[in-house]
Amino acid sequence: MKKVRIGIVGAGKISEVLHIPNTILSEYAQLVAIADPNAQRLEQFKRKLENVRFYEDYRQMLEKEDIDAVIVATPNALHAEVSIAALEKGKNVLVEKPMATNSGDALKMIEAAKENRKVLMVNHSQRFFPHHIKAKEIVQSGVLGEIRLVKTMFGHAGPENWSPSAAWFFDKNVAMFGALGDLGVHKVDLIRYITGLDIVECTGFIATLEKRASVEDVASAVLRLSNSSLATLDSNWITKGLEENYFVVYGEKGTMKVGQTDPTKIDIYLEKPFRMHGEIVLRPLFTNEDPYWKMPVVDHFAKVCLGLEEPIVKPEDGYIAVKVVERIFESAKRGQAVKVE
């Protein structure tokens, strides 16, 4: 069977725990090359990986290597530059979230993919979680009725606890966004994915309370959805002692809690015709204690490149997520609600 030959740009923590191991283990992909300007970082992979070539300049990798696709796992500010360069070289692209540091660059990426007839996919990885796939099915079944309110949160103690060498997370010139772009963007995308509704208006609040950073470490927003219901979104890097990562839907007929009472559970509470509490227990794909994240993202991307599957995440989904994040920041700056076009 033909495999998609992949080059990875960026050898940081997300590549270490997600992209590199999952590419190596995939039946549909082959890891050909890795590019990263940090020679010391590359050296640790050279000792572990055979038959993989290494570059300090991703442009050399694009010129020299016979690859079909590129995974872009760089700091945020490079997402658009590297993705467009790869697309213009005729490579399919899987890019980390947030898709870009502004919606204008995200549109340029989409245009480059269309012009070169290549796959462009954004790693909104929470769409692949079994809990979220099941939650979407439950909402679509109608058992909860019309959605009235969504409450979602993603918070932990900060990226320095996960990737101690990644100081770029705290630098606005490189990251553009803080906790909202790192964590909240997942939930912005999940609101659309699970509910099937669009976000039409944002009221946002941001603050930097603990981190020595030029980006926010706390962000909250109230969002109006396309059926006139509301959603509250919280993301932060100041949650101590645990990780909060949940999604709650309040419907006219019942309530669904995904990962709020227990990270392995979906709780469903129904009011009529009788009061009922049910549980669905699903094993998480991974925890942060695992040596690598066992996720089907690379497999799915490779299958899309091979024409075997339709993409779960379209490039327009990545663009909309960035657009909403921008509007939350605009609202926080202006001190008023802002429409989302």
Side-chain angles (χ1 to χ4, degrees), residues 98-140:
M99 181 179 185
T101 55
N102 62 77
S103 56
D105 281 350
L107 281 178
K108 291 176 184 176
M109 295 161 71
I110 293 172
E111 287 304 312
K114 288 179 179 176
E115 288 174 6
N116 294 280
R117 298 183 180 181
K118 292 298 169 184
V119 173
L120 172 61
M121 200 173 99
V122 185
N123 186 24
H124 280 296
S125 56
Q126 292 206 0
R127 289 192 179 208
F128 294 85
F129 290 8
H131 302 74
H132 297 150
I133 294 169
K134 178 59 70 174
K136 182 178 179 68
E137 292 174 2
I138 291 167
V139 169
Q140 288 179 332

Side-chain angles (χ1 to χ4, degrees), residues 318-338:
Y319 163 76
I320 292 170
V322 172
K323 187 79 167 180
V324 171
V325 167
E326 283 182 331
R327 290 296 177 262
I328 292 172
F329 274 95
E330 182 183 345
S331 169
K333 183 178 180 179
R334 293 170 56 182
Q336 64 186 58
V338 173

Side-chain angles (χ1 to χ4, degrees), residues 299-316:
D299 254 7
H300 173 64
F301 172 62
K303 289 177 185 177
V304 172
C305 293
L306 293 168
L308 301 176
E309 290 184 356
E310 289 296 313
I312 291 173
V313 186
K314 295 181 171 62
E316 290 78 12

Side-chain angles (χ1 to χ4, degrees), residues 55-68:
Y55 297 86
E56 291 182 35
D57 188 334
Y58 77 88
R59 297 174 189 85
Q60 290 184 3
M61 184 187 78
L62 292 178
E63 288 289 343
K64 295 181 178 181
E65 292 296 338
D66 178 20
I67 53 178
D68 307 301

Side-chain angles (χ1 to χ4, degrees), residues 124-140 187 190 193-194 245 247 256-259 262-268 280-287 290 293-297 312:
H124 280 296
S125 56
Q126 292 206 0
R127 289 192 179 208
F128 294 85
F129 290 8
H131 302 74
H132 297 150
I133 294 169
K134 178 59 70 174
K136 182 178 179 68
E137 292 174 2
I138 291 167
V139 169
Q140 288 179 332
K187 300 308 185 183
L190 268 189
Y193 174 69
I194 290 177
N245 192 349
F247 196 98
M256 175 179 67
K257 297 186 175 186
V258 184
D262 184 312
T264 68
K265 287 183 182 178
I266 299 174
D267 290 273
I268 301 172
I280 300 172
V281 180
L282 292 165
R283 185 177 180 275
L285 290 174
F286 63 88
T287 69
D290 291 333
W293 296 354
K294 308 171 188 69
M295 292 190 68
V297 175
I312 291 173

Side-chain angles (χ1 to χ4, degrees), residues 126 129 131-132 150-155 183 186-188 190-191 194 232-236 239 242-250 256-263 265:
Q126 292 206 0
F129 290 8
H131 302 74
H132 297 150
V150 172
K151 180 169 67 174
T152 185
M153 179 173 179
F154 195 177
L183 305 180
H186 277 301
K187 300 308 185 183
V188 168
L190 268 189
I191 288 169
I194 290 177
T232 64
L233 182 152
D234 292 285
S235 57
N236 71 71
T239 299
L242 80 164
E243 178 176 296
E244 294 269 59
N245 192 349
Y246 62 76
F247 196 98
V248 183
V249 176
Y250 300 89
M256 175 179 67
K257 297 186 175 186
V258 184
Q260 190 183 42
T261 61
D262 184 312
K265 287 183 182 178

